[in-house]
Amino acid sequence: MDLGINGKVFMVAGASSGLGYAIARKLAEEGGKVSIASRSQENIATAAATISEETTAEIRGYVFDARDANSINRWVEDTQNDFGQIDGLVINAGGPSPGFFEEFDDQAWQSAFELTLLSAVRLIRGALPALKVNGGSILTLTSSAVKEPIDILVMSNVMRSGVNSLVKSLSDDLAGDNVRINNLIPGLINTDRIDALNLFLAKRADSSPEKVRQSAEAGIPMGRYGEPGEFANAAAFLLSDQASYITGTTMVVDGGKMKSV
């Protein structure tokens, strides 16, 4: 299937590794031009060089902090200056710290708000004028917590639900400008984030990450964790012209684990 993204420009946040990297690579494979960003100059430069070498796509790496408005605006401006346009935006950031409600103070909640919810607001606000020029697509990477709250991820439950509501609210407003916006939920995918959560759970239960993973996989109908590339395939589709009549929706990539309707 030709996704119709050849030559289009996509911004992908948090793309030095994990799901963001996988999406950036998939877009590059399909002929997209990709602007990627993360907090580490070294890591994002390595990611850009690797994807460029493997796909021959035009890709550039930028340093940005999802918690900082000036940093976000600078990345948007640099992308417009370097590529000339913006056709798609992927909102992605490392999740808030795991833990239970009574373990977090105001500072922790404020940090989670800025990282997860306010960063989405700022990125959309910054890129929207460019996206409206020719029409485009916005994709937020959220969490299964927006449908089934996770006990140890109380801050993620709250903040990512806010992002989910933001997307639904904006889908109506932006449709007239031919800008689509959707959520994409990863289940248990082989990433460093999931490895870190497994380690956290193992320590709490005096167990091992391997046992935590085995238990989790037993609850997935497909019997395994997903791969970043499988998730990236769904992301590329939602960002592409092939999804031209899809907006305001939430797609789940989880091997059938979620029980909610």
Side-chain angles (χ1 to χ4, degrees):
M1 178 188 293
D2 180 5
L3 294 179
I5 62 177
N6 186 55
K8 292 190 175 183
V9 178
F10 298 90
M11 296 177 64
V12 184
S16 62
S17 63
L19 300 179
Y21 177 86
I23 292 171
R25 192 183 190 288
K26 178 62 178 178
L27 293 170
E29 286 178 350
E30 296 290 333
K33 301 177 181 180
V34 193
S35 167
I36 60 176
S38 78
R39 287 182 298 174
S40 168
Q41 172 68 56
E42 180 180 0
N43 292 347
I44 203 65
T46 298
T50 301
I51 294 174
S52 177
E53 181 179 347
E54 293 176 350
T55 67
T56 69
E58 183 178 349
I59 182 168
R60 300 190 185 192
Y62 303 85
V63 176
F64 99 121
D65 183 347
R67 293 186 177 94
D68 183 77
N70 291 330
S71 179
I72 289 172
N73 291 335
R74 186 164 56 249
W75 178 34
V76 173
E77 291 170 4
D78 287 345
T79 298
Q80 286 184 279
N81 291 334
D82 293 340
F83 290 92
Q85 64 192 68
I86 299 172
D87 301 294
L89 170 65
V90 178
I91 296 170
N92 174 46
S97 299
F100 296 97
F101 178 75
E102 293 181 337
E103 298 173 4
F104 300 118
D105 58 14
D106 283 2
Q107 184 176 358
W109 279 100
Q110 182 65 34
S111 179
F113 167 67
E114 292 176 355
L115 174 66
T116 305
L117 180 52
L118 191 55
S119 67
V121 171
R122 287 167 168 167
L123 277 166
I124 294 169
R125 187 168 56 205
L128 203 49
L131 288 168
K132 286 182 176 180
V133 173
N134 298 310
S137 181
I138 302 168
L139 186 65
T140 73
L141 307 192
T142 57
S143 165
S144 59
V146 305
K147 288 183 173 289
E148 297 178 354
I150 301 169
D151 290 344
I152 64 160
L153 297 178
V154 61
M155 290 197 296
S156 182
N157 296 341
V158 174
M159 300 305 166
R160 294 195 189 279
S161 293
V163 174
N164 204 57
S165 295
L166 174 67
V167 167
K168 194 62 179 175
S169 298
L170 288 177
S171 64
D172 214 24
D173 296 337
L174 301 182
D177 294 303
N178 196 28
V179 175
R180 298 179 299 104
I181 182 167
N182 294 291
N183 294 304
L184 187 58
I185 294 178
L188 293 171
I189 312 289
N190 276 318
T191 62
D192 291 341
R193 167 71 171 172
I194 294 300
D195 288 342
L197 289 175
N198 285 348
L199 180 59
F200 176 84
L201 288 168
K203 289 180 177 179
R204 292 262 175 151
D206 193 23
S207 181
S208 69
E210 292 75 18
K211 289 183 178 179
V212 171
R213 175 168 180 149
Q214 290 170 3
S215 176
E217 287 181 328
I220 301 172
M222 295 189 73
R224 63 176 176 85
Y225 281 13
E227 294 301 325
E230 293 176 304
F231 184 80
N233 289 339
F237 168 72
L238 286 175
L239 288 162
S240 79
D241 291 344
Q242 295 292 345
S244 57
Y245 199 54
I246 302 175
T247 193
T249 194
T250 299
M251 181 183 288
V252 181
V253 182
D254 73 341
K257 183 178 187 301
M258 207 174 296
K259 304 303 181 186
S260 58
V261 176

